[in-house]
């Protein structure tokens, strides 16, 4: 049902409720009850939700709108809860009662929709007659809007029609005749506070109610008038009114004392319990110390409760020396909660109206007093909302609960960092906002927001962790008062879910190819190639291509961002570094790709011209290539830039030296920094360049930079028993090291192999080569295969015979028997009539013999008896236990 019901619709509802003009039976939804000296009308307004009702009091002739002033003056109180349930209380001695015997009281009222005119048809007249005959000599009612005291005026005694007036003073003669039967009339009232004496009319105008009936006199006062006082009675604040009422008959004036005292406080509470204390002795009302409490009762909404109901609801009524104490569990069914929003904060009030009744006796003017307090309590409690984070990070959805509220609160909107949306929009966006009822009568809302939604912010506290942050403010409104309030919260969830970009690379003869896969966070990083950030211009230069997930670049091996690690005669090892950094300068990937590219560094021409290319290498970073010279420092580079220095000179110049080795003439020179230009050790740069000239054969030798060689890793030499090495030349003094491989050789060049038995100090063992052969694949048994040594002898089929070289002792060779050397001509490797180019590997089967026991034919010497007893030697060679066979292979050799 909406808030904006028209009167027409309400008219229908009122009819449905049974509120109709001129109806006589008590309609459904209306309850009329006699509660001692009070009469109560209750109207169930649940179907009139959001609309108040108003009442008119019937004064015997007309209906008078029940204003606040009229209500407190005349003993009415109308009260409604937020759902339109209305209670109308009237004192039995309300202004308009008519009773001859002070026992039968009737209240008539009319109820109508608030705001509707008095003449409106949509109203209902209720009337109730109650009988109350057990008057105490003084009855006090503390209602929420008035204090009322009714005292006995005449004491009925035995004997017809004889009644004695209380406290009768005579002697005031106003000159009128004495008439015994003329009625006693209210004349004046004197209030104790302020001491003011007023006429009855003046008192009425000030909102007081004063009346006399056949047996009683009544004073009714609103709270907080100038004539009331506030007193502390046993720790409870009370409003007190005390007055002497003067009654007059002819020349006779009588005075009555009327006092009322009503509590305005005395409530304390905890989260669980409301405690209300009333002083046991309400001293402003007492004239002696000797007071006896006859009975006391607790009630709710003006109606006494029986013991069973009290027990069922956990109400407690106790009496101490000083107080009567009512204890009510917070949230009990007789009260109700209501939401409130003040200054954008959420509060709830718990409202309940307990009642206390006491009857006490004392030896005084009024020997018994019935005392009744209807005490509405509204307890306001801040209930700051909370957000409960039920997120399970792995599910990648924020799951939250915001609560808790009474049912009279609605969630209106949700503010994210990206803006405000309504609840309907949130649901359309898939956030699944649902109201959840809690068992304690409160409610809340659940919501789910996927981590992937744009309202979720992302941050990376470390490289591989993502923080998902949901900043949210819920906007609420209280339904009854339409007051807004809100609750903010920040939820954070972390996942180690970052896939970092990956970099892979390959090379061909000229280019590095780098492929970058973006990872989980897109192309959200800076690329540094070499020392430079990859700007659009550089990207263009490097043939940058990209799609949604990858980009690639192709970088030439001589590009400025490549660095040269090492140089060989015909190869240049170049390295490309690629670093990916995020916007916080964290390195996401540090990649480097190192490849060897073929490049001719030295050329020897038959006319005696030598050319050499010197390259800036990484190990000498500050080298200025234009400062390089040959041995003769006048010989400067023919050309230089920041990468290369190019020398071209004749072998007879520039300090070139010449030496003869075997049948070769070897010319050597050196490239180094001009003397005087060497600033630091790191600037030292020395390369030896040489050319060998044989008979119509020219070849180059490798060179390297000195004295900053790359570190050499000696790959597990220590465990090898037998090794095969390739010597630089037939002197067998210098050998290629691991890092020189693949060794590049021209076809004309012979290969000088040495096979060594290592780590043996036994002169009695001897190493023999049984079979040696070459393959173009690394696998020993691969084909094609070229035999070099067969059964310990040169392969006679090969026109370029393999040649054994003698071994002589020197610093390295301690036991000649542990070494064998042989020379292979590369033209041996013919495939389909053409000399092989490309890679080869050389393999040998090695026999290690005991020199003292040459049982095997091989052990008698390398190719000793083979040539004479050609076909017989193979037999039972391995039948003896004295020979060991080892296998050994060369590394890759490239023929060009
Ligand atoms: C969201 O709701 C709150 C609480 O009801 C209200 O104060 C605020 O103005 C609303 N915001 C928007 C943009 O509607
Ligand atoms: C993007 O490029 C990479 C190679 O760079 C390729 O593997 C991938 O399939 C491409 N993706 C699309 C969507 O084209
Ligand atoms: C030697 O030969 C090379 C290659 O043919 C040539 O470039 C160079 O100029 C020649 N040098 C001389 C001094 O003739
Ligand atoms: C190298 O030295 C030359 C001559 O001294 C000079 O002109 C040139 O600027 C230097 N180059 C660098 C990169 O320092
Ligand atoms: C093998 O034959 C050669 C001649 O061909 C001869 O000189 C040599 O002594 C012979 N060796 C043996 C061990 O018979």
């Amino acid at each position: 049902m909406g808030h904006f019901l028209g009167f027409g619709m309400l008219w229908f509802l009122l009819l449905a409720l049974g509120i109709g003009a001129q109806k006589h039976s008590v309609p459904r939804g209306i309850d009329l009850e006699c509660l001692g000296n009070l009469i109560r009308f209750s109207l169930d307004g649940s179907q009139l939700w959001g609309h108040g009702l108003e009442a008119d009091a019937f004064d015997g002739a007309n209906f008078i709108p029940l204003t606040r002033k009229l209500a407190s003056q005349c003993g009415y109180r109308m009260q409604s809860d937020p759902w339109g349930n209305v209670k109308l209380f009237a004192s039995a001695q309300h202004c308009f009662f008519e009773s001859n015997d002070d026992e039968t009281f009737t209240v008539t009222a009319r109820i109508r929709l608030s705001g509707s005119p008095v003449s409106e048809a949509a109203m209902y007249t209720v009337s109730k007659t109650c009988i109350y005959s057990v008057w105490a000599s003084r009855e006090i009612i503390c209602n929420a809007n008035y204090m009322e005291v009714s005292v006995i005026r005449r004491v009925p005694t035995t004997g017809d029609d004889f009644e004695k007036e209380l406290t009768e003073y005579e002697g005031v003669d106003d000159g009128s005749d004495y008439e015994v039967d003329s009625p006693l009339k209210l004349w004046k009232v004197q209030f104790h506070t302020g001491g003011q004496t007023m006429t009855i009319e003046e008192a009425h105008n000030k909102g007081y109610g004063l009346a006399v009936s056949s047996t009683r006199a009544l004073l009714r006062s609103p709270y907080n008038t100038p004539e009331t006082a506030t007193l502390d009675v046993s720790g409870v604040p009370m409003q007190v009114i005390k007055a002497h009422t003067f009654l007059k008959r002819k020349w006779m004036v009588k005075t009555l004392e009327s006092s009322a005292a009503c509590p305005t406080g005395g409530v304390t509470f905890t989260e669980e319990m409301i405690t209300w204390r009333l002083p046991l002795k309400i001293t402003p009302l007492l004239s002696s110390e000797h007071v006896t409490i006859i009975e006391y009762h607790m009630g709710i909404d003006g109606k006494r409760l029986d013991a069973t109901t009290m027990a069922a609801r956990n109400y407690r009524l106790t009496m101490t020396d000083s107080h009567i104490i009512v204890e009510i569990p917070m949230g009990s069914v007789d009260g109700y909660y209501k939401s409130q929003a003040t200054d954008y904060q959420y509060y709830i009030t718990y409202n309940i109206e307990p009642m206390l009744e006491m009857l006490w006796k004392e030896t005084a003017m009024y020997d018994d007093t019935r005392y009744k307090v209807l005490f509405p309590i509204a307890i306001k409690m801040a209930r700051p909302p909370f957000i409960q984070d039920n997120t399970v990070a792995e599910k990648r959805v924020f799951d939250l609960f915001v609560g808790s509220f009474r049912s009279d609160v609605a969630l209106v909107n949700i503010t994210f960092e990206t803006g405000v949306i309504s609840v309907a929009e949130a649901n359309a966006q898939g956030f699944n906002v649902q109201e959840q009822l809690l068992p304690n009568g409160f409610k809340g809302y659940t919501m789910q927001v996927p981590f992937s939604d744009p309202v979720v912010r992302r941050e990376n506290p470390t490289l591989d962790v993502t923080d998902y942050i949901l900043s949210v403010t819920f906007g609420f409104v209280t339904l009854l008062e339409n007051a807004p309030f809100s609750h903010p919260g920040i939820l954070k969830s972390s996942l180690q879910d970052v896939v970092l970009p990956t970099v892979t690379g390959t090379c061909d003869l000229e280019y590095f190819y780098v492929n970058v896969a973006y990872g989980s966070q897109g192309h959200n990083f800076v690329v540094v190639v070499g020392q430079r950030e990859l700007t659009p211009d550089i990207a263009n230069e490097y043939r940058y291509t990209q799609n949604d997930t990858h980009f690639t670049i192709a970088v030439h091996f001589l590009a400025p961002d490549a660095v040269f690690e090492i140089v060989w005669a015909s190869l240049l090892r170049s390295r490309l570094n690629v670093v990916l950094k995020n916007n916080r300068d964290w390195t996401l990937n540090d990649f480097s790709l190192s490849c060897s590219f073929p490049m001719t560094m030295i050329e020897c021409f038959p006319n005696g011209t030598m050319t050499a290319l010197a390259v800036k290498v990484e190990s000498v970073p500050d080298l200025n290539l234009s400062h390089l010279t040959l041995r003769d420092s006048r010989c400067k580079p023919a050309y230089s830039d920041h990468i290369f220095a190019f020398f071209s000179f004749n072998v007879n110049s520039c300090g070139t030296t010449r030496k003869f080795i075997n049948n070769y003439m070897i010319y050597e020179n050196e490239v180094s920094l001009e003397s005087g230009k060497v600033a630091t050790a790191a600037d030292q740069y020395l390369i030896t360049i040489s050319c060998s000239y044989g008979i119509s054969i020219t070849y180059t030798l490798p060179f390297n930079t000195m004295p900053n060689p790359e570190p050499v890793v000696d790959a597990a030499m220590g465990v090898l028993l037998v090794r095969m090495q390739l010597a630089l030349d037939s002197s067998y003094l210098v050998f290629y090291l691991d890092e020189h491989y693949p060794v590049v050789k021209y076809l004309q060049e012979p290969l000088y192999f040495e096979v060594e038995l290592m780590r043996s100090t036994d002169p009695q063992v001897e190493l023999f080569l049984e079979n040696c052969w070459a393959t173009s694949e690394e696998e020993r048994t691969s084909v094609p295969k070229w035999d070099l040594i067969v059964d310990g002898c040169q392969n006679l089929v090969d026109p370029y015979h393999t040649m054994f070289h003698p071994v002589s002792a020197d610093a390295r060779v301690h036991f000649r028997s542990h070494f064998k050397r042989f020379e292979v001509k590369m033209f041996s490797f013919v495939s389909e009539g053409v000399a092989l180019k490309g890679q080869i590997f050389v393999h040998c089967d090695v026999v290690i013999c005991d020199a003292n026991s040459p049982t095997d034919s091989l052990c008698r010497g390398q190719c000793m008896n083979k040539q004479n007893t050609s076909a017989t030697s193979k037999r039972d060679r391995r039948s003896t236990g004295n020979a060991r066979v080892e296998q050994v292979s060369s590394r890759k050799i490239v023929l060009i």
Side-chain angles (χ1 to χ4, degrees):
M1 194 170 297
H3 304 208
F4 308 109
L5 232 44
F7 268 115
M9 185 64 178
L10 282 167
W11 168 224
F12 168 79
L13 278 169
L14 284 169
L15 284 175
L17 265 176
I19 304 178
Q22 273 73 55
K23 282 208 167 179
H24 290 292
S25 60
V26 176
R28 191 161 51 85
I30 294 192
D31 221 16
L32 307 171
E33 277 186 281
C34 300
L35 305 170
N37 54 7
L38 281 176
I39 299 162
R40 184 178 80 179
F41 299 167
S42 308
L43 175 76
D44 174 2
S46 57
Q47 296 176 68
L48 296 168
W49 190 83
H51 285 266
L53 294 178
E54 285 176 9
D56 303 318
F58 185 65
D59 70 357
N62 301 300
F63 284 101
I64 313 164
L66 201 53
T67 60
R68 271 173 69 133
K69 185 185 175 210
L70 186 76
S72 59
Q73 187 167 37
C74 286
Y76 289 89
R77 176 159 69 100
M78 179 142 138
Q79 175 224 325
S80 57
D81 71 14
W83 299 275
N85 298 310
V86 173
K87 287 193 167 59
L88 178 63
F89 294 95
S91 287
Q93 290 178 287
H94 62 87
C95 285
F96 312 118
F97 86 97
E98 274 176 35
S99 175
N100 294 327
D101 53 4
D102 282 340
E103 277 191 15
T104 309
F105 303 93
T106 300
V107 179
T108 302
R110 195 168 66 173
I111 292 170
R112 66 190 148 84
L113 281 177
S114 100
S116 66
V118 177
S119 62
E120 173 67 47
M123 32 193 186
Y124 184 73
T125 305
V126 286
S127 190
K128 180 77 176 172
T129 299
C130 293
I131 293 177
Y132 184 63
S133 56
V134 293
W135 290 100
S137 56
R138 177 167 64 175
E139 301 229 340
I140 293 171
I141 297 176
C142 295
N143 212 333
N145 59 340
Y146 62 85
M147 305 186 274
E148 180 186 289
V149 51
S150 162
V151 296
I152 192 159
R153 177 164 75 86
R154 282 191 291 190
V155 184
T157 56
T158 51
D160 296 345
D161 292 326
F162 181 80
E163 291 168 347
K164 181 178 181 295
E165 289 284 349
L166 286 171
T167 328
E168 199 165 298
Y169 298 96
E170 298 194 19
V172 179
D173 185 0
D174 66 350
S176 46
D177 296 333
Y178 174 71
E179 288 173 46
V180 170
D181 292 334
S182 71
L184 202 61
K185 280 189 178 149
L186 281 166
W187 179 41
K188 279 184 186 166
V189 60
Q190 184 186 24
F191 292 101
H192 288 201
T193 305
Q196 214 189 337
T197 305
M198 310 180 189
T199 65
I200 298 306
E201 194 185 356
E202 282 168 341
H204 272 149
N205 287 343
K206 291 195 176 208
Y208 296 103
L210 288 145
V212 284
S213 63
S214 54
T215 62
R216 303 187 72 83
L218 180 122
L219 168 65
R220 197 178 288 116
S221 167
Y223 289 83
N224 295 311
T225 68
E227 285 74 34
T228 58
T230 301
L231 284 185
D232 181 293
V233 183
S234 300
V236 175
M238 299 192 90
Q239 285 262 307
V240 179
I241 183 129
K242 283 192 178 188
H244 277 104
T245 313
F246 297 93
L247 307 169
K248 187 180 163 196
R249 178 161 56 193
K250 287 291 179 190
W251 47 269
M252 200 174 63
V253 172
K254 288 120 191 146
T255 172
L256 288 172
E257 200 200 301
S258 299
S259 306
C262 291
T264 54
V267 174
T268 55
F269 64 93
T270 65
E271 282 291 309
E272 289 80 36
M273 192 66 77
I274 302 170
T275 306
W276 173 36
R277 291 158 193 276
L278 186 71
L280 192 60
K281 292 179 180 171
I282 300 171
T283 45
L285 301 177
L286 304 179
S287 47
S288 76
E289 281 293 301
H290 307 289
V291 179
T292 317
I293 308 290
I294 308 295
E295 56 183 57
Y296 59 102
H297 306 279
M298 177 192 167
I300 293 285
D301 291 332
K303 184 173 183 177
R304 246 185 233 179
L305 295 178
D306 58 38
T308 323
T309 310
M310 281 182 57
R313 294 180 191 174
N314 285 322
Y315 296 156
R316 287 186 64 203
L317 177 62
T318 49
M319 189 164 83
T320 67
D321 288 348
S322 54
H323 292 90
I324 293 185
I325 300 170
V326 171
E327 285 172 299
I328 298 173
M330 185 72 80
S332 134
V333 293
D334 289 314
Y336 62 89
Y337 280 105
K338 177 169 175 274
S339 292
Q340 261 190 320
T342 312
D343 294 337
Y344 251 65
Q345 304 298 311
Y346 183 59
Y347 297 88
I348 55 172
T349 55
Y350 179 69
N351 301 266
I352 190 162
E353 186 173 317
M355 177 189 76
L356 263 179
E357 282 181 284
M358 271 198 276
L359 179 65
W360 71 75
K361 263 192 196 315
E362 61 176 329
T363 41
M365 187 182 350
Y366 303 118
D367 58 349
D368 61 346
T369 300
R370 194 184 302 280
Y371 186 79
K372 180 185 268 190
V373 192
L374 275 64
F375 199 69
I377 295 173
I379 288 171
K380 182 172 178 179
M381 292 166 282
R383 276 288 182 278
F386 61 89
I387 290 177
Q388 187 177 310
D389 186 352
N390 301 324
T391 306
V392 176
E394 286 66 32
K395 293 186 179 168
R396 306 187 69 83
V397 173
F398 280 110
D399 187 353
L400 65 85
F401 172 85
V402 58
S404 55
F405 312 101
R406 301 303 307 181
S407 57
D408 58 344
V409 162
L411 174 62
V412 179
N413 61 30
I414 306 167
T415 308
F416 296 102
E417 278 174 34
T418 49
V420 186
I421 56 174
S422 68
V423 172
E425 286 164 336
N427 279 326
Q429 208 163 324
F431 297 165
N432 191 25
V433 180
Q434 301 262 343
E435 189 173 287
Q436 307 288 338
L437 298 179
L438 304 181
N440 61 359
F442 281 77
K443 71 171 183 184
Y445 296 87
T446 52
M447 180 169 84
Q448 280 103 39
V449 180
F451 287 179
S452 58
D453 198 278
V455 303
V456 176
R457 183 155 47 91
R458 259 154 269 200
E459 281 177 8
N460 294 102
T462 60
L463 265 189
D464 56 348
V465 172
T466 311
D467 282 347
Y468 296 91
I469 297 157
L470 179 66
S471 174
V472 68
T473 299
F474 293 98
F476 300 94
V477 70
T478 62
L479 293 175
L480 295 169
E481 278 142 17
N482 202 30
F485 66 96
S486 63
H487 185 67
I490 293 179
L491 282 77
K492 189 172 132 181
S493 206
S494 298
L495 271 182
Q496 200 173 331
D497 61 355
V498 176
V499 178
L500 293 175
T502 52
V503 187
T504 52
T506 56
C507 298
D508 64 8
L509 291 178
E510 273 188 275
Y511 282 93
F512 296 102
Y513 298 95
V514 176
N515 187 327
V516 177
Y518 297 160
S520 61
Q521 293 180 309
H523 191 171
N524 198 11
F525 48 79
V526 171
V527 183
V528 179
V529 179
Q531 299 298 316
R532 298 188 297 171
E533 192 175 311
L534 190 69
T535 60
D537 279 350
I538 300 174
N540 199 31
E541 194 181 310
Y542 290 158
R543 293 157 37 185
Y544 179 89
T545 60
Q546 68 157 37
N547 62 23
D548 289 347
T549 56
H550 293 74
F551 77 79
T552 59
I553 50 173
V555 179
H556 193 268
F557 77 105
L558 295 178
D561 291 312
V563 288
F564 306 135
E565 290 184 317
I566 202 160
V567 184
W568 302 112
S570 53
L571 291 176
L572 176 63
R573 196 158 89 205
S574 178
R575 191 180 75 234
L576 184 68
N577 294 331
V578 176
V579 177
L580 310 181
K581 294 179 172 205
N582 70 4
N583 53 8
R584 289 153 85 177
D585 212 26
W586 289 349
T587 300
L588 306 178
N589 199 313
D590 188 347
F591 173 80
S592 79
L593 177 62
S594 187
C595 292
S596 293
F597 298 93
M599 185 163 171
T600 303
M601 309 303 287
I602 299 173
E603 278 188 286
C604 304
F605 296 103
N607 63 9
T609 296
M610 261 176 98
T611 62
L613 205 51
V615 180
K616 180 158 180 169
V617 290
E618 191 185 20
S619 52
V620 189
D622 297 323
L623 182 68
N624 184 334
L625 288 160
S626 75
H627 297 160
L628 290 175
T629 66
L630 294 170
R631 273 188 190 138
D632 182 339
S633 63
R634 290 166 301 179
C635 296
K636 296 183 188 303
Y639 164 83
S640 73
D641 59 20
H642 60 289
I643 303 174
F644 298 112
F646 176 71
F647 293 91
S648 177
F649 59 99
N650 189 276
V651 294
N652 295 320
S653 66
C654 291
T656 310
T657 56
R658 181 180 60 185
K659 59 184 174 189
F660 293 93
I661 293 179
N662 290 345
N663 295 321
Y664 296 102
M665 209 155 47
I666 298 174
Y667 294 96
E668 267 189 359
N669 206 325
E670 283 169 346
V671 176
S672 64
L673 263 181
E674 227 177 306
S675 54
K677 298 278 182 182
V678 180
T680 64
D683 286 343
Q684 292 184 25
Y685 185 92
L686 177 72
I687 58 179
T688 303
I689 51 178
S690 62
C691 279
S692 295
Y693 291 87
I695 304 156
S696 73
I697 294 173
T698 308
Y699 64 92
T700 57
L701 286 181
F703 61 97
N704 60 10
T705 59
M706 293 290 287
N708 291 310
E710 289 293 302
V712 172
V713 180
D714 196 358
M717 284 301 198
V719 300
L720 283 181
L721 188 61
V722 175
R723 78 170 166 193
M724 176 148 66
Q725 291 200 92
L726 183 61
L728 230 59
D729 56 31
S730 60
S731 68
Y732 284 95
L733 291 173
V734 183
F735 295 90
Y736 290 96
L737 300 178
D738 274 352
E739 68 265 27
H740 301 150
Y741 285 90
V743 171
V744 178
K745 287 285 186 179
Y746 286 97
L747 267 184
Q748 299 95 324
E749 294 175 275
L751 299 172
Y752 299 98
F753 289 101
E754 178 188 272
V755 180
E756 177 191 359
L757 174 62
M758 299 172 71
R759 297 200 300 166
S760 171
T761 52
D762 181 357
Q764 299 304 318
V765 291
E766 185 156 12
L767 173 148
F768 293 102
L769 303 174
E770 186 186 11
N771 292 303
C772 293
W773 67 98
T775 58
S776 59
E777 298 299 328
E778 197 168 357
E779 180 52 47
R780 291 170 69 85
T781 56
S782 64
V783 289
K785 168 187 177 208
W786 295 269
D787 285 330
L788 304 172
I789 294 171
V790 179
D791 287 341
C793 296
Q794 301 99 317
N795 178 16
L796 299 173
V797 179
D798 183 359
Y800 304 91
H801 285 190
T802 297
M803 191 195 295
F804 287 104
H805 282 283
V807 179
S808 49
D810 61 19
R812 195 170 61 84
V813 179
H814 298 299
F815 307 104
R816 287 163 56 208
S817 61
H818 292 184
F819 292 82
K820 284 291 177 287
R821 291 170 178 168
F822 64 97
E823 179 187 335
V824 178
K825 300 277 194 312
M826 308 252 260
F827 298 109
S828 306
F829 311 128
V830 180
S831 181
E832 295 169 347
V834 179
L836 174 79
K837 288 198 174 194
Q839 60 182 27
I840 60 153
F841 298 84
V842 174
H843 316 276
C844 289
D845 291 335
V846 179
V847 182
I848 295 161
C849 302
D850 182 348
N852 294 329
S853 161
T855 52
D856 189 298
S857 59
L858 251 180
C859 288
R860 293 190 195 114
Q862 191 76 54
C863 203
M864 286 305 278
N865 46 6
K866 171 74 174 115
Q867 280 150 347
N868 294 5
T869 57
S870 54
T872 59
S873 65
K874 280 185 193 170
R875 276 178 284 117
D876 66 5
R877 205 176 52 231
R878 286 178 192 145
S879 58
T880 73
N882 294 337
R884 287 182 54 197
V885 179
E886 297 288 338
Q887 298 188 325
V888 68
S889 295
S890 78
R891 298 183 60 187
K892 188 195 287 185
I893 298 158
V894 179
L895 306 182
I896 56 175

